[in-house]
Amino acid sequence: MSSILTNTGAMVALQTMRGINKNMAQTQSEISTGKSINSAKDNAAVWAISKTMQADVKGFSAISDSLALGRSTVAVATQAAETVTDLLTQMKGAIVSAQEDNVDRAKIQTDIVALREQITSITTAAQFNGLNLLSNREQTAGSGTVNVLSSLDRASDGSVASANIGVAKQDLGTNTTDWGAGTASTAATLNLDGLAAATAIGGGATPNEQSLEVQNVVAGMGVQINISASGGEVGDAFDDANRAVSYVARDGDTQADMANGLANAFNERVAAAIEAGTLSEDTTIGATVAVDADGVATITFTGETGAAADTFSLQAVQTDGVEIGGRLEALNDIDVSTATGARSALSEIEGLIQTAIDSAAAFGSAQTRIDTQAEFIKNLSDALTTGIGSLVDADMEAASARLQALQVQQQLATQSLSIANQQPQNILALFR
């Protein structure tokens, strides 16, 4: 049945043309934008995933900048530490020369002072963008650690946390520890158990021992042990300039680090007294450290067998707010102008060279890690970008072929609509 009121053929042709035009508009959008999913209405789930991944890629771009800054900062510190190592090696050569009696030790000492000043100049100038990893001047909280932003970690629940590469400062400065701001305190406040304010060590038929337990070490805590003589060989062994031994905790120091630092300083004082001839070479005076399974460190001070008067005492002192000296502060005590000083300097310089070598190696390891992370972040960003493309990018070959097919369909739909619109004219011919 034909009708002049309802043209079903034309309606079908129009519906077909609307669908073709819609598909053609979408295909043309894909070709012009290069994306098959350009907004949330195209595919909400995939669009949301792609936007989250794009945000991560943007974050990794900022991380790459942070790693580049960190790499440059550590590179400066590495170069400076290596230069300090070379200067200390030169200083060792001068100290070895001073071991000979037939040399001008005063001139050698002048060279050593010049090398020390050059080391100071290097450590204070080795900064990048205002950050110095080698100098600890005007700091009171330990060596410190610089965190370089290295990654953004996204958990399965969608939460994001940042990750860092920690680069420890090495404090190769020559500045000395300043105890002036500190305050003396009792053993209880010190967290140093087992040592009274004045404890006699030595005397009697057998060596007297006293133990000192180190607890709750925090960066910036300094401990000083003052030696007070009470007469006899031991009492006279320490002159006024050598009555105090001390150690200042740096970031990351354990109880064992603090205990070993104090014990080593004490034993160095004993060795110096033996070198000076004020203590006999067979003395039993010394300090040892024991660490239990829980990491609790105990220092044991051993005195010397002898008369009751042949003793000395120790006093523990804590200093808060101490300005921590550089790890090379012992350079200030090197003096080869005398034979005794030259021999002492030779043993001292070995430890300082090793300190500089360890610092340069630590910076080198950190730099390698930063370089590896930077390369990984770059590759990760590329992988994420590729993944985003596979989700939202249009297949241009398919879109091109589809566009040509739609153009043909559009022409055919136009012809169908034209034919459908001619049907009423055919009915009119029946009435002629």
Side-chain angles (χ1 to χ4, degrees):
M1 183 188 77
S2 298
S3 172
I4 62 173
L5 299 177
T6 304
N7 192 338
T8 304
M11 288 189 295
V12 172
L14 284 173
Q15 290 175 357
T16 302
M17 182 170 286
R18 281 196 296 267
I20 293 172
N21 289 340
K22 179 181 178 181
N23 291 334
M24 182 173 287
Q26 182 178 354
T27 302
Q28 288 176 334
S29 175
E30 291 180 13
I31 294 174
S32 61
T33 63
K35 293 182 178 181
S36 61
I37 299 175
N38 198 37
S39 63
K41 67 182 180 63
D42 296 330
N43 189 319
V46 173
W47 180 85
I49 293 173
S50 67
K51 286 301 178 181
T52 300
M53 294 175 67
Q54 286 175 357
D56 287 346
V57 170
K58 190 67 175 179
F60 284 128
S61 176
I63 289 172
S64 294
D65 294 338
S66 173
L67 288 169
L69 180 62
R71 182 194 302 116
S72 299
T73 304
V74 176
V76 170
T78 302
Q79 182 60 52
E82 292 174 354
T83 304
V84 168
T85 302
D86 293 340
L87 292 173
L88 288 172
T89 302
Q90 294 180 39
M91 189 179 292
K92 178 183 177 180
I95 292 173
V96 170
S97 299
Q99 306 303 307
E100 173 65 40
D101 290 333
N102 190 25
V103 293
D104 190 342
R105 290 195 176 97
K107 287 186 172 59
I108 294 176
Q109 179 63 24
T110 300
D111 291 340
I112 290 174
V113 170
L115 289 171
R116 184 185 68 209
E117 291 176 350
Q118 182 60 33
I119 290 173
T120 302
S121 176
I122 289 172
T123 56
T124 54
Q127 58 84 27
F128 186 85
N129 195 32
L131 178 59
N132 192 326
L133 299 179
L134 288 181
S135 179
N136 197 43
R137 291 183 180 275
E138 300 179 358
Q139 296 186 26
T140 59
S143 58
T145 299
V146 176
N147 290 321
V148 179
L149 182 63
S150 62
S151 181
L152 288 177
D153 302 330
R154 182 178 294 278
S156 58
D157 61 358
S159 61
V160 179
S162 62
N164 300 290
I165 295 176
V167 181
K169 293 184 178 181
Q170 298 300 318
D171 300 342
L172 292 184
T174 59
N175 53 305
T176 57
T177 300
D178 180 12
W179 295 83
T183 56
S185 61
T186 65
T189 306
L190 273 173
N191 294 314
L192 302 176
D193 295 339
L195 183 66
T199 302
I201 298 178
T206 58
N208 179 34
E209 295 183 350
Q210 293 291 338
S211 295
L212 168 63
E213 187 175 289
V214 179
Q215 299 179 344
N216 302 332
V217 175
V218 294
M221 184 179 85
V223 177
Q224 181 170 307
I225 296 179
N226 295 323
I227 305 167
S228 58
S230 58
E233 181 188 13
V234 178
D236 295 335
F238 302 94
D239 58 34
D240 290 339
N242 289 322
R243 292 196 181 281
V245 294
S246 60
Y247 183 83
V248 181
R250 300 176 183 272
D251 283 352
D253 275 4
T254 63
Q255 296 178 30
D257 293 328
M258 173 69 87
N260 283 315
L262 281 172
N264 291 338
F266 181 81
N267 291 331
E268 287 175 3
R269 288 287 185 262
V270 173
I274 294 174
E275 176 73 20
T278 56
L279 273 180
S280 61
E281 294 185 1
D282 59 352
T283 181
T284 58
I285 298 173
T288 58
V289 176
V291 183
D292 65 16
D294 296 325
V296 178
T298 301
I299 311 172
T300 299
F301 296 95
T302 303
E304 190 173 52
T305 303
D310 196 21
T311 62
F312 59 92
S313 61
L314 304 175
Q315 184 176 11
V317 178
Q318 178 180 0
T319 301
D320 299 316
V322 60
E323 180 179 337
I324 303 173
R327 295 185 186 274
L328 301 183
E329 63 177 315
L331 287 175
N332 298 291
D333 299 326
I334 290 181
D335 186 355
V336 300
S337 58
T338 64
T340 300
R343 288 192 294 272
S344 176
L346 186 58
S347 61
E348 186 72 41
I349 194 65
E350 287 294 339
L352 296 177
I353 290 176
Q354 193 58 50
T355 296
I357 291 174
D358 292 343
S359 298
F363 285 137
S365 297
Q367 188 172 356
T368 300
R369 185 180 176 190
I370 291 174
D371 288 342
T372 301
Q373 184 68 13
E375 183 66 22
F376 168 72
I377 290 298
K378 181 179 182 301
N379 293 336
L380 180 59
S381 296
D382 291 344
L384 287 174
T385 301
T386 300
I388 295 171
S390 65
L391 290 174
V392 302
D393 288 356
D395 185 341
M396 298 304 291
E397 292 86 351
S400 176
R402 189 164 58 252
L403 179 62
Q404 293 184 14
L406 288 170
Q407 288 174 341
V408 173
Q409 293 176 29
Q410 188 182 49
Q411 293 174 7
L412 291 174
T414 302
Q415 289 293 331
S416 297
L417 181 60
S418 176
I419 293 172
N421 286 333
Q422 290 177 1
Q423 290 299 323
Q425 293 294 332
N426 294 333
I427 296 173
L428 181 62
L430 298 175
F431 293 94
R432 291 177 182 171

